Amino acid sequence: MTWTVAPEPYDSPVAAALWRAYYTEVSDRYYLLHEGRPTDPGELEREIAAHSGADLVPPRGLLLVARYGGEAAGTAGIRLREGATAELTRVFLYERMRGRGGAALLVRAAEDAARALGASRMVLDTRGDLVEARALYARLGYTETEAYKEDPYAEHWFAKRLPHAA
């Protein structure tokens, strides 16, 4: 089986299913850790609706979907920020697809897409309990940096230079 990564409209059924799975997983993980309960279903629906991904569209953003053997497996999004900086967001793989190299492939594809949009630096934020994500970013050359935005759930900020190919 092989991986493919391609742009996907943020509001496609595939993207919506992946966003729901992503948000459910990270939200439940947070609430189980901090409050001993899963996310309240009403809150989950409000947050999914409030963060549609409408900013992940050209010319200032992009949503990528990875497929493994043709089956939707994960996402990564980018959005341009100020200057030549892009932000990496929504990096996610379905649990059954993990451990096959898809996450690194998605991040590298997002870096290539950011370069194509003119970015020379990528930033991202994550939480402390998402240790797998932090390990992935460190393995791919991201280094911890100062906070670049305020977010009540962000605890770690990373950055990486994106040199253009010679």
Side-chain angles (χ1 to χ4, degrees):
M1 296 246 201
T2 60
W3 285 100
T4 59
V5 178
E8 180 85 20
Y10 77 92
D11 57 353
S12 75
V14 166
L18 285 159
W19 172 231
R20 176 172 292 283
Y22 166 85
Y23 198 84
T24 300
E25 182 175 321
V26 297
S27 184
D28 280 353
R29 192 164 173 172
Y30 177 86
Y31 281 109
L32 287 168
L33 177 66
H34 295 284
E35 297 183 14
R37 64 169 179 87
T39 311
D40 173 82
E43 179 183 0
L44 184 67
E45 293 306 318
R46 284 189 302 277
E47 291 300 313
I48 287 171
H51 298 94
S52 69
D55 58 339
L56 302 178
V57 297
R60 303 219 23 101
L62 190 67
L63 181 69
L64 299 170
V65 168
R67 288 177 169 79
Y68 185 71
E71 179 184 351
T75 64
I78 59 166
R79 65 175 67 94
L80 292 179
R81 294 183 60 84
E82 63 282 339
T85 299
E87 181 178 28
L88 181 64
T89 187
R90 295 193 187 193
V91 177
F92 172 75
L93 283 175
Y94 285 125
E95 187 173 7
R96 68 185 180 280
M97 297 293 187
R98 295 175 189 164
R100 302 176 191 186
L105 182 75
L106 267 168
V107 172
R108 288 186 185 110
E111 291 170 357
D112 290 344
R115 280 186 200 92
L117 292 176
S120 59
R121 180 175 183 252
M122 185 83 87
V123 296
L124 63 95
D125 66 82
T126 191
R127 294 193 325 240
D129 63 307
L130 300 176
V131 294
E132 305 90 345
R134 290 177 26 229
L136 169 71
Y137 301 133
R139 190 172 71 247
L140 295 177
Y142 287 80
T143 57
E144 287 214 46
T145 189
E146 71 283 346
Y148 62 89
K149 68 176 185 179
E150 288 193 31
D151 181 326
Y153 301 106
E155 298 169 323
H156 296 269
W157 295 265
F158 289 84
K160 181 180 179 179
R161 289 269 159 226
L162 301 176
H164 288 277

